[in-house]
Amino acid sequence: MRNKKSAPTMKDVALEAGVALGTVSKVINGLPVGEAYRIRVEEAIRKLDYHVNSYAQGLKASKTYTVALLIPNTYHPYFSRLAYQINLSLLKRNYRMLLCSTDYDPGLEQEYITMLQQNKVDGIIGLTYNPNLYIEESIAFVSIDRPLGPHIPCIASDNFAGGQMAAEKLADLGCKNVAFLRIGSSLNNEPNKRKAGFENGCLARNLPYTLKILQDGDSVYEFEDFLREHMHNGKLDFDGLFCVTDRTVYDVRKILKKMGVRVPEDVQLIGFDGIRSFGDGDYICSTIVQPVADIAEMCVELLLQENMNMKPPLVCLPVTYQYGGTTRE
Amino acid sequence: MRNKKSAPTMKDVALEAGVALGTVSKVINGLPVGEAYRIRVEEAIRKLDYHVNSYAQGLKASKTYTVALLIPNTYHPYFSRLAYQINLSLLKRNYRMLLCSTDYDPGLEQEYITMLQQNKVDGIIGLTYNPNLYIEESIAFVSIDRPLGPHIPCIASDNFAGGQMAAEKLADLGCKNVAFLRIGSSLNNEPNKRKAGFENGCLARNLPYTLKILQDGDSVYEFEDFLREHMHNGKLDFDGLFCVTDRTVYDVRKILKKMGVRVPEDVQLIGFDGIRSFGDGDYICSTIVQPVADIAEMCVELLLQENMNMKPPLVCLPVTYQYGGTTRE
């Protein structure tokens, strides 16, 4: 890696400070030493970026400067952007990234956890849909989107705020009757909050709403039945739809086209994710954008942070609205 | 990794065959031994999948079962699909993949080559645009799309055949006057052959054609000037366009829409790559599809193959045409 240095040792600190090894040990362990010595040692620790905990951990195996990313795949544009940003955040800190496209295989996930236990990687960042994943408390693991327990930091977009933002945006855009369309895992994951936030926003703005929730494995064409049931006199009952992901917007647009309902003239659509053509081009629809670069930075920061006694169990990062052609603005 | 076994040693072969170590050594080195012994050793070698070369290399450091992938980024859909498929091909063989999004940074590329020289990875698969990359002859490196020298296998789609296929398809679809639109690196890379194949196909079918070649850094809107120059009486001179990538099709469609030219009614468009919505959905345009899974398999196969005295310097894999809405069929 670029400019990679091996982690500084207590000996390096002693050399840098010009003091005996025992003096460094005393400072680290909070034992009394002369004030001038303490200052010199502390300056050396800062200068060398020596991490006290790596000493305190004593027998911990040497670092690999490698972090594993477990992600279902890298071809879905949200996952591919996430993999890219996490890779950047790690490279910036002179860490390498092992990529494991799990294809939702729990076995693969568990294997990487074993690698971590064998000190073959320093930590894992995982986006997992495995409800039975067992992760020990002491393990360096950061989860994306799904809370895995109070000892595993979970990083997510502020999904509740995003749902609320979508409802308020549709209200601002003049919608009078809206619906929320959702398909996906029923696991207790963060995106579930999109619905709750949306309902909350609709209630706050006195906006009538309907929910249509499909499960994983259901056909997206059940949305077609739902929408056709809500056609009266050649007109859709809804003038606004909030879709749980941009992919759902994409599918629903195809259905609406077939039904002769125009977007955004007859009905305005807002998605969630912030998918862009070719990864960095136009937004493919009006959408609540997940802050992928911030999610990546936060994951890496929390994973590698050694001087923290308590890591935040859930971090929600702010989302934004972006126009992408499926709303009036 | 799943079912990972350490590589079998000569000792394992001797045990399996029930012969002395010296007998195995003789067989491996082609020295005379009794026929029955030779057969037993050869069977044990096959059964254990023992690789003779790993013995012959003698002092070679132990394997890491890790391969690095150097790729500009993972957010462009072609790169993200490639990263996914290469990851799958490696996992299948119980290899891990280090991902390095180079963002076209030659320094990062060179660093991973240094890692390889230090035996921190077993090999590198690289998609690089760095014209000055120096790779030693003995190094385990496989290149995608760009020939880096006769000793580095280069894996690519059959770009020439793809260009020719596009020309023939446009001819079959009734086009009478076509153009090739290209933007991108002028490096000597495989995609350059798309143009040559296209010209060849047009000549074979007596199809008049025009070329418009932009360089990296040129604005895609120079295509707009070009197309406007070829408008006469509100009609585009061309009824077929072959674009060097699907992304170019995307950009050109926006320009044509602005100009009031309909796709595919007035002009039919064929791209190159095979990009699909959300990675596994619809093709975003009619296109020559790169066989990404085959490219990935071939890269991994050639990189890890130890029993080959001469690796193929250039492998071209067959492409296919897929309809995606920008042609009549």
Side-chain angles (χ1 to χ4, degrees):
Chain A
M1 306 302 305
R2 209 166 358 177
N3 308 321
K4 182 179 151 184
K5 289 173 286 191
S6 56
T9 62
M10 202 163 66
K11 212 166 155 183
D12 297 327
V13 174
L15 272 171
E16 176 67 34
V19 301
L21 202 59
T23 310
V24 178
S25 172
K26 281 181 187 165
V27 172
I28 285 169
N29 290 291
L31 300 173
V33 294
E35 178 68 358
Y37 287 110
R38 193 182 55 74
I39 290 170
R40 271 155 68 185
V41 170
E42 286 177 350
E43 274 172 0
I45 285 174
R46 255 193 307 279
K47 187 172 171 198
L48 297 179
D49 193 27
Y50 172 74
H51 289 263
V52 176
N53 270 16
S54 60
Y55 169 73
Q57 288 168 8
L59 290 173
K60 199 192 158 197
S62 63
K63 284 202 193 189
T64 61
Y65 286 94
T66 306
V67 164
L69 174 66
L70 307 183
I71 199 159
N73 61 60
T74 57
Y75 61 75
H76 184 288
Y78 182 66
F79 296 151
S80 68
R81 186 88 214 181
L82 201 52
Y84 171 71
Q85 294 290 354
I86 291 172
N87 198 200
L88 277 198
S89 293
L90 286 167
L91 289 172
K92 217 166 71 179
R93 290 166 176 83
N94 297 320
Y95 271 73
R96 293 179 290 267
M97 186 177 100
L98 275 182
L99 175 69
C100 179
S101 286
T102 62
D103 265 330
Y104 304 96
D105 176 348
L108 267 179
E109 295 179 342
Q110 207 64 61
E111 272 163 40
Y112 274 78
I113 291 172
T114 305
M115 280 180 61
L116 177 57
Q117 286 160 341
Q118 295 167 347
N119 292 307
K120 288 178 183 163
V121 294
D122 294 345
I124 295 177
I125 298 171
L127 199 163
T128 172
Y129 291 83
N130 176 4
N132 302 313
L133 195 65
Y134 176 68
I135 300 169
E136 284 173 41
E137 226 172 280
S138 60
I139 224 168
F141 194 108
V142 167
S143 172
I144 299 171
D145 276 351
R146 199 176 142 246
L148 295 174
H151 55 289
I152 306 285
C154 171
I155 319 297
S157 290
D158 191 339
N159 286 291
F160 186 89
Q164 185 158 3
M165 193 181 283
E168 289 172 352
K169 190 74 202 174
L170 290 174
D172 289 344
L173 289 166
C175 293
K176 302 293 179 213
N177 188 16
V178 298
F180 171 68
L181 304 183
R182 148 137 217 220
I183 186 163
S185 160
S186 56
L187 282 177
N188 172 29
N189 55 13
E190 272 295 305
N192 278 340
K193 297 185 184 166
R194 293 174 198 169
K195 167 177 147 296
F198 183 72
E199 293 192 76
N200 194 59
C202 289
L203 291 169
R205 300 292 287 268
N206 280 317
L207 183 60
Y209 68 92
T210 307
L211 305 175
K212 179 63 185 175
I213 314 285
L214 302 183
Q215 299 305 319
D216 254 345
D218 288 348
S219 162
V220 79
Y221 287 97
E222 291 192 34
F223 286 136
E224 181 166 353
D225 301 336
F226 168 76
L227 292 169
R228 287 200 188 273
E229 283 161 23
H230 285 87
M231 283 288 276
H232 293 100
N233 307 320
K235 215 171 143 287
L236 189 65
D237 296 344
F238 310 116
D239 50 7
L241 298 174
F242 173 44
C243 298
V244 69
T245 62
D246 292 347
R247 183 165 201 161
T248 307
V249 170
Y250 180 85
D251 291 332
V252 167
R253 278 185 91 170
K254 284 205 280 189
I255 293 166
L256 291 169
K257 193 175 177 183
K258 201 159 68 169
M259 293 168 63
V261 178
R262 294 167 307 164
V263 175
E265 294 84 349
D266 303 327
V267 61
Q268 302 187 75
L269 270 63
I270 296 179
F272 203 108
D273 272 351
I275 304 300
R276 305 167 78 150
S277 296
F278 301 95
D280 61 358
D282 306 320
Y283 287 97
I284 64 160
C285 61
S286 298
T287 183
I288 307 298
V289 181
Q290 300 211 55
V292 187
D294 294 343
I295 291 172
E297 272 290 301
M298 190 54 71
C299 284
V300 171
E301 194 62 36
L302 286 179
L303 188 72
L304 301 183
Q305 184 56 259
E306 290 177 342
N307 295 316
M308 245 176 153
N309 287 320
M310 191 195 148
K311 294 190 178 181
L314 176 63
V315 178
C316 296
L317 297 168
V319 294
T320 50
Y321 168 78
Q322 281 286 344
Y323 169 75
T326 56
T327 48
R328 284 191 204 128
E329 64 187 57
Chain B
M1 305 302 305
R2 211 164 1 178
N3 308 320
K4 183 178 149 183
K5 289 174 287 194
S6 56
T9 62
M10 203 163 67
K11 211 166 157 184
D12 297 328
V13 175
L15 272 171
E16 176 69 33
V19 301
L21 202 58
T23 310
V24 179
S25 171
K26 281 181 187 164
V27 172
I28 285 169
N29 290 292
L31 301 174
V33 293
E35 178 69 358
Y37 287 109
R38 193 182 55 74
I39 289 169
R40 272 154 68 186
V41 170
E42 285 176 351
E43 274 172 0
I45 284 174
R46 253 193 308 280
K47 188 171 170 200
L48 298 178
D49 193 26
Y50 172 73
H51 289 260
V52 175
N53 271 16
S54 61
Y55 169 73
Q57 287 168 8
L59 290 172
K60 199 191 159 198
S62 63
K63 284 202 194 190
T64 61
Y65 287 93
T66 306
V67 164
L69 174 66
L70 307 184
I71 199 159
N73 61 61
T74 58
Y75 61 75
H76 184 288
Y78 182 66
F79 296 151
S80 67
R81 186 86 214 181
L82 201 52
Y84 171 71
Q85 294 290 355
I86 291 172
N87 198 197
L88 278 198
S89 294
L90 286 168
L91 289 171
K92 217 166 73 179
R93 291 168 176 80
N94 297 320
Y95 271 73
R96 293 179 289 266
M97 185 177 99
L98 275 183
L99 175 68
C100 178
S101 287
T102 61
D103 266 330
Y104 305 95
D105 177 347
L108 268 178
E109 295 179 341
Q110 207 64 61
E111 272 164 39
Y112 273 78
I113 291 172
T114 305
M115 280 179 61
L116 177 57
Q117 286 160 339
Q118 296 167 345
N119 292 307
K120 288 178 184 163
V121 295
D122 294 346
I124 295 177
I125 298 171
L127 199 162
T128 171
Y129 291 84
N130 176 2
N132 302 314
L133 196 64
Y134 176 67
I135 300 170
E136 284 174 40
E137 227 172 280
S138 59
I139 223 167
F141 195 108
V142 167
S143 172
I144 299 170
D145 277 350
R146 200 178 139 243
L148 295 174
H151 55 290
I152 306 286
C154 171
I155 320 297
S157 289
D158 191 338
N159 287 291
F160 186 89
Q164 186 159 5
M165 192 182 282
E168 289 170 353
K169 189 74 201 171
L170 289 173
D172 290 345
L173 289 166
C175 293
K176 302 292 177 214
N177 188 15
V178 298
F180 172 68
L181 304 183
R182 147 137 218 221
I183 187 163
S185 160
S186 55
L187 282 176
N188 173 29
N189 55 13
E190 272 295 305
N192 278 339
K193 297 185 185 167
R194 293 175 197 169
K195 168 177 146 296
F198 183 72
E199 293 193 76
N200 194 59
C202 289
L203 291 170
R205 300 292 287 268
N206 280 318
L207 183 59
Y209 68 91
T210 306
L211 305 174
K212 179 64 185 176
I213 313 286
L214 302 184
Q215 299 305 319
D216 253 346
D218 287 348
S219 162
V220 78
Y221 287 96
E222 290 192 35
F223 287 137
E224 181 165 353
D225 301 336
F226 168 77
L227 292 169
R228 288 200 187 274
E229 283 161 25
H230 286 86
M231 283 289 274
H232 292 101
N233 308 320
K235 216 172 144 285
L236 189 65
D237 297 344
F238 311 115
D239 51 8
L241 298 174
F242 173 45
C243 299
V244 70
T245 63
D246 292 348
R247 183 165 201 161
T248 308
V249 170
Y250 180 85
D251 291 331
V252 167
R253 278 185 92 169
K254 284 205 280 187
I255 293 167
L256 291 169
K257 193 174 178 186
K258 201 160 65 169
M259 291 168 62
V261 178
R262 294 167 308 164
V263 175
E265 295 85 347
D266 303 327
V267 61
Q268 302 186 74
L269 270 62
I270 295 179
F272 203 108
D273 272 351
I275 305 300
R276 304 167 78 150
S277 296
F278 301 95
D280 62 357
D282 307 320
Y283 287 97
I284 63 160
C285 61
S286 298
T287 183
I288 306 299
V289 182
Q290 300 212 54
V292 187
D294 295 342
I295 291 172
E297 273 290 302
M298 190 54 72
C299 284
V300 171
E301 194 62 36
L302 287 179
L303 188 72
L304 301 183
Q305 184 57 257
E306 290 177 342
N307 296 317
M308 247 177 150
N309 287 319
M310 191 194 147
K311 295 191 177 180
L314 176 63
V315 178
C316 296
L317 297 168
V319 294
T320 50
Y321 168 79
Q322 281 286 344
Y323 169 74
T326 55
T327 49
R328 283 188 205 131
E329 64 188 55

